[in-house]
């Protein structure tokens, strides 16, 4: 099979990648020696039947249900069309006409891209993974480590992948020192080309080859997404079938709250129901300021992560409480609401639980059928705050919480007390079918 005429980089960013200055790439052949034997060519099929070329790297997690092929998010999600890819052919260590470890075709539902990339190509979020069966001979040769900025400065790093200007089915490698870096990416001036998107960028660390980045962008200097603790946690989550991931915002050094001064004493709670369109599920949540009201906002998407959009209610009708005054005498109910096994959140609203502000979730099958609203009516517990008084001195935290990958869903919701703020907390589930 020959790759398409465009690389995934061109598909995603609309421009070709180019060699920086003199071409210093070296062909790797044979490809069966370490660490090259775990580097894979990817032939990615979009939903129109077109094929594009990329690169990935096998990475295994002990005790996990699946192996992973680590790559760039833009290899797995077509940003401009807001849709996931249909399938991926994974070929480790291909060397011209020789495929020493065979190949496997993976359905698009087993491919995960980070949601920050899906929503806005946020810098540092261009990472993803392909779930593959645990297969003998498909073991990885790399460690993965989070290096500090000081450890990465002017460090020698290398990469290898399948550039289209070298026929696309031969592996080429190069390396040099890191040119510059920030908290989420680093840059280098060694050569890459279209087809190398998703290539591992590695270094020798404590005597072992360690992946420290994922090749993301061209442009001389070229760009890699840095490996972070968040990414490693996400890779662990993706590799474990049915794994869950709890999300809440612990950052107190931001202004993502309201009102600017005072508390919620003069603020009302908007109780309009928000419901995902048919066939979509909730993949994110935040509070927002709706004039003098605190209101929910939900991120809705297809189960594969495509067509993601925030849903809010801008109607200023009478669906709010309390009837007069603000939330000064109201408490926040912190009971967790959890969808039954096999159900997913497809709707949300606030409701008045006597003197409490409480959440309510709509749970349904993945296709939106068999929907039921779930709320907690128990008043004989202490799952509320503050301990005394109402929300008069409490603020609303408006940081958005979003599933960290496509093919994930929100299955649990709760409020929690974040110092002097009422804040949301969600549990997300990785979908594996």
């Amino acid at each position: 099979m020959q790759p398409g005429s465009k690389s995934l980089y061109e598909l995603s960013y609309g421009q070709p990648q180019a060699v920086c200055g003199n071409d210093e790439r070296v062909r790797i052949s044979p490809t069966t020696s370490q660490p090259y034997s775990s580097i894979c060519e990817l032939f990615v099929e979009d939903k129109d039947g077109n094929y594009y070329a990329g690169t990935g790297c096998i990475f295994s997690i002990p005790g996990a249900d699946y192996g992973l092929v680590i790559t760039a998010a833009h290899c797995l999600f077509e940003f401009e069309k807001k849709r996931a890819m249909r399938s991926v052919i994974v070929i480790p260590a291909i060397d011209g006409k020789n495929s020493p470890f065979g190949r496997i075709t993976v359905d698009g539902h087993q491919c995960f891209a980070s949601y920050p990339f899906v929503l806005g190509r946020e810098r540092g979020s261009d990472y993803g993974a392909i779930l593959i069966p645990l297969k003998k001979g498909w073991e990885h040769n790399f460690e993965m480590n989070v290096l500090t900025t000081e450890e990465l400065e002017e460090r020698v790093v290398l990469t290898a992948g399948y550039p289209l200007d070298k026929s696309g089915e031969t592996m080429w490698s190069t390396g040099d020192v890191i040119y510059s870096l920030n908290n989420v990416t680093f840059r280098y001036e060694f050569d890459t080309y279209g087809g190398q998107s998703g290539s591992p960028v590695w270094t020798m660390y404590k005597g072992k080859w360690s992946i420290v980045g994922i090749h993301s962008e061209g442009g001389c200097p070229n760009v890699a997404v840095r490996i972070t603790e968040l990414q490693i946690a996400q890779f662990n989550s993706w590799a474990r079938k049915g794994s869950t991931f709890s999300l809440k915002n612990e950052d107190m050094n931001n202004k993502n709250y309201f009102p600017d001064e005072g508390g919620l004493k003069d603020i009302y709670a908007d109780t309009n129901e928000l419901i995902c369109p048919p066939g979509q599920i909730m993949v994110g949540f935040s509070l927002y300021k709706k004039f003098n009201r605190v209101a929910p906002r939900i991120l809705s998407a297809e189960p594969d992560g495509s067509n993601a959009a925030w849903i809010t209610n801008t109607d200023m009708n009478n669906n709010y409480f309390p009837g007069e005054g603000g939330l000064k005498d109201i408490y926040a109910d912190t009971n967790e609401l959890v969808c039954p096994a096999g159900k997913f959140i497809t709707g949300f609203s606030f409701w008045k639980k006597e003197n409490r502000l409480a959440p309510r979730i709509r749970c349904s099958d993945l296709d939106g059928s068999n929907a039921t609203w779930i709320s907690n009516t128990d008043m004989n517990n202490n799952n509320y705050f503050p301990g005394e008084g109402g929300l008069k001195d409490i603020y609303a935290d408006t940081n958005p919480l979003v599933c960290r990958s496509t093919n994930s869903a929100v299955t649990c919701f709760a409020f929690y007390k974040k110092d002097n703020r009422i804040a949301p907390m969600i549990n997300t589930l990785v979908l594996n079918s």
Side-chain angles (χ1 to χ4, degrees), residues 58-85:
I58 296 171
F59 190 81
S60 303
I61 294 172
D65 301 277
Y66 291 88
L68 297 178
V69 175
I70 306 300
T71 188
H74 75 257
C75 293
L76 306 175
F77 189 88
E78 199 173 350
F79 181 80
E80 296 301 332
K81 294 185 178 179
K82 303 295 184 187
R83 64 184 188 180
M85 296 299 188

Side-chain angles (χ1 to χ4, degrees), residues 245-251 397 399-402 404 414-418 423-427:
F245 212 89
S246 294
L247 294 176
K248 60 181 181 178
N249 177 50
E250 298 287 7
D251 181 15
D397 191 288
N399 280 283
L401 300 178
V402 177
R404 287 176 175 153
F415 286 131
Y416 78 105
K417 188 177 185 299
K418 179 182 171 185
M425 177 172 60
I426 62 176
N427 218 49

Side-chain angles (χ1 to χ4, degrees), residues 213-351:
I214 299 168
H215 178 63
S216 173
E217 298 180 42
C220 298
N222 299 310
V223 181
V225 173
R226 286 177 64 169
I227 296 298
T228 65
E229 295 289 357
L230 172 61
Q231 286 182 32
I232 291 176
Q234 185 62 83
F235 293 147
N236 273 271
S237 176
W238 287 335
R240 289 177 164 81
K241 184 177 181 180
S243 60
T244 60
F245 212 89
S246 294
L247 294 176
K248 60 181 181 178
N249 177 50
E250 298 287 7
D251 181 15
M252 290 298 292
N253 299 314
N254 59 64
K255 296 295 183 181
N256 293 329
Y257 65 91
F258 77 89
D260 293 334
E261 58 183 44
L264 296 175
K265 58 182 181 294
D266 298 319
I267 304 297
Y268 298 80
D270 191 287
T271 58
N272 282 280
E273 294 178 354
L274 301 178
I275 299 177
C276 296
Q280 294 200 351
I281 53 179
M282 182 169 133
V283 297
F285 181 91
S286 76
L287 302 176
Y288 79 105
K289 185 178 186 297
K290 179 182 173 184
F291 295 106
N292 65 334
R293 304 184 193 178
V294 56
R297 187 170 66 130
I298 64 174
L299 181 64
S300 175
E302 307 289 338
D304 67 0
S306 60
N307 299 317
W310 285 98
I311 297 175
T312 60
N313 175 52
T314 56
D315 182 11
M316 289 299 290
N317 56 27
N318 294 320
N319 292 331
Y320 66 91
F321 78 90
E324 58 184 47
L327 293 174
K328 58 182 180 293
D329 298 320
I330 304 296
Y331 296 79
D333 192 287
T334 60
N335 282 283
E336 292 184 358
L337 299 179
V338 182
C339 286
K343 302 283 186 178
F344 304 90
I345 298 180
T346 55
F348 184 92
S349 75
F350 292 144
W351 68 291

Side-chain angles (χ1 to χ4, degrees), residues 350-410:
F350 292 144
W351 68 291
K352 186 178 185 297
K353 181 181 173 181
E354 296 188 15
N355 65 335
R356 303 186 192 177
L357 170 65
R360 190 169 65 123
I361 61 175
R362 180 180 184 264
C363 294
S364 71
D365 294 338
L366 200 58
D367 62 2
S369 61
N370 300 314
T372 304
W373 284 94
I374 295 177
S375 58
N376 178 40
T377 57
D378 181 14
M379 292 295 293
N380 299 314
N381 58 62
N382 293 318
N383 292 329
Y384 63 91
F385 76 87
E388 58 183 46
L391 294 176
K392 59 181 180 295
D393 298 318
I394 302 296
Y395 297 79
D397 191 288
T398 60
N399 280 283
L401 300 178
V402 177
C403 291
R404 287 176 175 153
S405 76
T406 53
N407 288 355
S408 296
V410 179

